[in-house]
Amino acid sequence: MNASTFWWMATGALVIAELLTGTFYLLMLSLGAAAAALAAHAGLGMTAQVITAALVGGAGVVLWNLKSKHLPAGADAADTHIHLDIGATVDVDTWDAQGLTHVKHRGAVWAASCQSNAHTPGLHKIVAIEGSRLVLEKI
């Protein structure tokens, strides 16, 4: 097996592992392996290929880590471009003693809590999603 085949197989294995974990760090390492495969196709030696994989993959990991640190906490939770449910309305029939309820939204039953202490039945707007729970606000 030649060096480029090894690097392409490593790239594929890292992409598969990334799909199973969803962290994006393995995807950055797979970019490094792909760069090493291109270096092998260019005729560079094994040392240059390993250095290429390390530099490209390592730089990708560092840049991804820096990008992740600069995002505000919960930035995606309030972004209506990511959560299309935010802003939708639901009808609340009753609240339980803990201030929770179950509402039907988009064909499924969701657990929900109220952002304020106004636990009255009626029409509510979805203002956030915390895990699998909708956070509602009385309209």
Side-chain angles (χ1 to χ4, degrees):
M1 170 170 51
N2 62 19
S4 64
T5 303
F6 166 77
W7 287 112
W8 287 122
M9 288 175 51
T11 301
L14 286 166
V15 168
I16 290 169
E18 170 57 41
L19 290 172
L20 295 173
T21 61
T23 62
F24 280 101
Y25 290 103
L26 292 175
L27 191 59
M28 300 301 121
L29 294 178
S30 71
L31 290 175
L38 295 175
H41 284 297
L44 298 177
M46 183 56 77
T47 303
Q49 295 169 27
V50 171
I51 291 172
T52 301
L55 289 177
V56 173
V61 167
V62 168
L63 291 174
W64 184 260
N65 193 24
L66 290 174
K67 177 190 175 293
S68 297
K69 284 185 179 180
H70 289 342
L71 289 176
D76 63 339
D79 191 353
T80 58
H81 297 311
I82 295 174
H83 294 293
L84 299 177
D85 297 322
I86 295 176
T89 57
V90 294
D91 191 33
V92 175
D93 294 329
T94 60
W95 293 93
D96 66 13
Q98 289 82 28
L100 301 175
T101 188
H102 286 86
V103 294
K104 189 163 185 171
H105 176 61
R106 294 195 317 157
V109 177
W110 290 72
S113 62
C114 192
Q115 188 175 32
S116 65
N117 288 331
H119 298 111
T120 57
L123 203 56
H124 287 71
K125 179 174 73 169
I126 300 170
V127 294
I129 300 174
E130 295 176 352
S132 63
R133 179 178 293 170
L134 302 176
V135 178
L136 306 177
E137 178 181 87
K138 179 77 170 140
I139 295 179

